[in-house]
Amino acid sequence: MTKRAYNFNPGPAALPLEVLQQAQEQFVDYNGIGMSLMEISHRSKEYEAINSETQQLLLELLGLESGYQVLFMGGGASTQFATIPLNFLKPGKVGSYIITGSFSEKAYDEGRIVGESVIAASNKEGKWRSLPKASDITIDPNSAYVHMTTNNTIEGSQFSYIPETGNIPLIGDMTSGILSRPIDAKKYAMIYAGAQKNLGPAGVTVAVISDEMLKEEPKHIPVILRYSNHAKNSSLYNTPPVHSIYMMNLVLKWIKNNGGVAAMEKKSIEKSKLVYDAIDGSGGFYTGNIDADSRSIMNMTFRLPSEELEKKFVKESEQNNFVGLAGHRSVGGIRASAYIPVPYEACKALADFMSDFQKRNG
């Protein structure tokens, strides 16, 4: 077997090797039915069992025993930026947005197209280096909801607290942080995430929505865009991405069988510490993009003394079996995305490579 790459891609991203191997075994013939899962009907009993089980697994791992439904949707998390205000932003109300990076800003921009949207807090003037404190967040009492991005993929920051929003529903984009650490999920009226970072391959987006929010059934938008419609049909109103959901099912089982969310957090802290220690111990050769109290354990971002050295770092990393370390095109620099499935060994190898590169170029 070809040596596995050290995969630090920001999404689509690494998947657990044993999940890939399990899927490979069942790829041509799923459970002896004479067909691949990609060939069967989404109305079949085989798929309906996967659909139901995957929903329950996610609720279990989030600690949501009742009062919420899991929806499988298309279009990535970016489509949710528009779908949320279409469903929940009523005339006379405002959507409140905590802006902490590129994706939360995009969500705010989509909200402004649909209806009136306001900024509850923003750290843009500080170039995203630190996240707003709870005392910096001002919520309009006329808000239909408060939207936040809990982990900022591009910038490399992560909230350490859940804002208090009182009776106003809190919505969290958890695309690059979901299941990486235990949270009080009941504080959110809605959680959503593109699967391609922590949950599985690209192609499906999960939306976990409270029963209270699902009572909203806006008649002014197409049926296909209504959360309530997808909930009534158990995400089978139209053809779902069957294989992506099956892969998510395997990843969720892998998380559960490997100690659950608490174990994922412990491993993620250990992995990210290797990289952050390499940055902080470099004497300024590597500089982190984010203040220490706002750093993400999923996306580690940093710069080198020059763009020329950064290009050299990426080129040499690729020659040493590393993939995906170039920073997002909008910010440059280096980004190591160590999502749940990325093994400890990959982060150890990266820290060692960083040390060696500094010795040769510092």
Side-chain angles (χ1 to χ4, degrees):
M1 180 177 170
T2 305
K3 184 182 178 185
R4 298 274 294 163
Y6 297 128
N7 186 354
F8 290 98
N9 272 320
L15 288 164
L17 178 58
E18 59 195 86
V19 164
L20 293 170
Q21 291 170 332
Q22 186 177 352
Q24 182 183 41
E25 289 172 8
Q26 299 186 327
F27 186 77
V28 175
D29 184 0
Y30 177 73
N31 283 357
I33 64 173
M35 290 181 291
S36 162
L37 262 177
M38 289 190 288
E39 300 174 278
I40 67 172
S41 168
H42 63 295
R43 305 292 180 191
S44 67
K45 68 179 189 300
E46 288 85 5
Y47 176 69
E48 288 198 359
I50 292 169
N51 187 59
S52 176
E53 183 182 51
T54 309
Q55 293 171 11
Q56 291 307 311
L57 277 167
L58 184 56
L59 289 173
E60 179 186 340
L61 289 168
L62 285 169
L64 296 171
E65 295 167 7
S66 62
Y68 289 78
Q69 289 198 50
V70 174
L71 310 182
F72 298 133
M73 306 185 74
S78 295
T79 298
Q80 299 299 309
F81 298 164
T83 313
I84 287 165
L86 283 170
N87 277 265
F88 304 131
L89 187 47
K90 299 173 184 173
K93 290 283 190 177
V94 301
S96 286
Y97 289 82
I98 301 170
I99 299 179
T100 51
S102 175
F103 288 116
S104 56
E105 195 167 42
K106 285 181 179 180
Y108 167 66
D109 289 340
E110 292 286 68
R112 292 172 68 198
I113 292 171
V114 175
E116 188 179 351
S117 298
V118 298
I119 298 173
S122 173
N123 64 336
K124 189 172 185 177
E125 283 189 8
K127 296 183 178 179
W128 313 121
R129 283 200 64 91
S130 62
L131 293 174
K133 295 180 174 62
S135 57
D136 296 330
I137 300 172
T138 304
I139 299 171
D140 189 315
N142 197 38
S143 298
Y145 56 81
V146 177
H147 178 283
M148 70 182 297
T149 303
T150 60
N151 185 99
N152 296 285
T153 318
I154 293 173
E155 295 75 20
S157 60
Q158 184 177 43
F159 274 91
S160 60
Y161 67 92
I162 300 173
E164 293 295 337
T165 60
N167 294 325
I168 298 169
L170 178 62
I171 297 175
D173 175 359
M174 297 189 184
T175 296
S176 56
I178 193 167
L179 301 185
S180 64
R181 54 185 181 161
I183 59 164
D184 185 356
K186 295 183 185 70
K187 288 193 172 183
Y188 292 89
M190 175 178 174
I191 290 165
Y192 68 97
Q196 68 275 8
K197 300 176 189 291
N198 274 340
L199 299 178
V204 62
T205 301
V206 297
V208 185
I209 309 180
S210 70
D211 293 343
E212 194 63 31
M213 292 287 275
L214 286 169
K215 289 177 181 176
E216 303 282 346
E217 193 164 7
K219 305 293 187 187
H220 66 284
I221 66 172
V223 173
I224 190 68
L225 298 177
R226 297 178 198 170
Y227 291 123
S228 56
N229 179 58
H230 287 281
K232 286 175 186 174
N233 289 278
S234 192
S235 297
L236 295 168
Y237 176 73
N238 64 319
T239 308
V242 170
H243 196 260
S244 294
I245 294 167
Y246 161 69
M247 291 296 293
M248 189 196 304
N249 180 283
L250 297 185
V251 172
L252 294 176
K253 286 177 178 173
W254 176 83
I255 292 171
K256 182 178 177 179
N257 293 337
N258 282 275
V261 178
M264 297 303 109
E265 179 185 41
K266 183 174 182 290
K267 290 175 183 176
S268 294
I269 290 171
E270 290 170 353
K271 291 186 299 183
S272 62
K273 187 176 186 299
L274 290 168
V275 179
Y276 286 132
D277 282 354
I279 295 169
D280 296 339
S282 70
F285 183 77
Y286 300 110
T287 55
N289 295 359
I290 301 297
D291 291 348
D293 63 352
S294 297
R295 283 172 167 174
S296 168
I297 58 172
M298 294 283 97
N299 310 98
M300 289 80 80
T301 56
F302 57 96
R303 303 299 302 248
L304 277 74
S306 68
E307 287 189 21
E308 184 182 2
L309 269 178
E310 288 170 352
K311 289 176 182 176
K312 186 178 182 184
F313 181 95
V314 171
K315 185 177 180 181
E316 288 193 17
S317 74
E318 290 169 349
Q319 294 167 349
N320 284 273
N321 207 36
F322 295 93
V323 176
L325 287 173
H328 190 271
R329 61 188 177 278
S330 65
V331 295
I334 309 297
R335 172 176 56 177
S337 296
Y339 298 121
I340 291 170
V342 173
Y344 180 90
E345 294 71 30
C347 292
K348 178 68 168 65
L350 175 57
D352 291 344
F353 173 76
M354 290 169 68
S355 176
D356 178 64
F357 186 86
Q358 181 182 355
K359 286 174 186 174
R360 291 184 287 104
N361 295 278

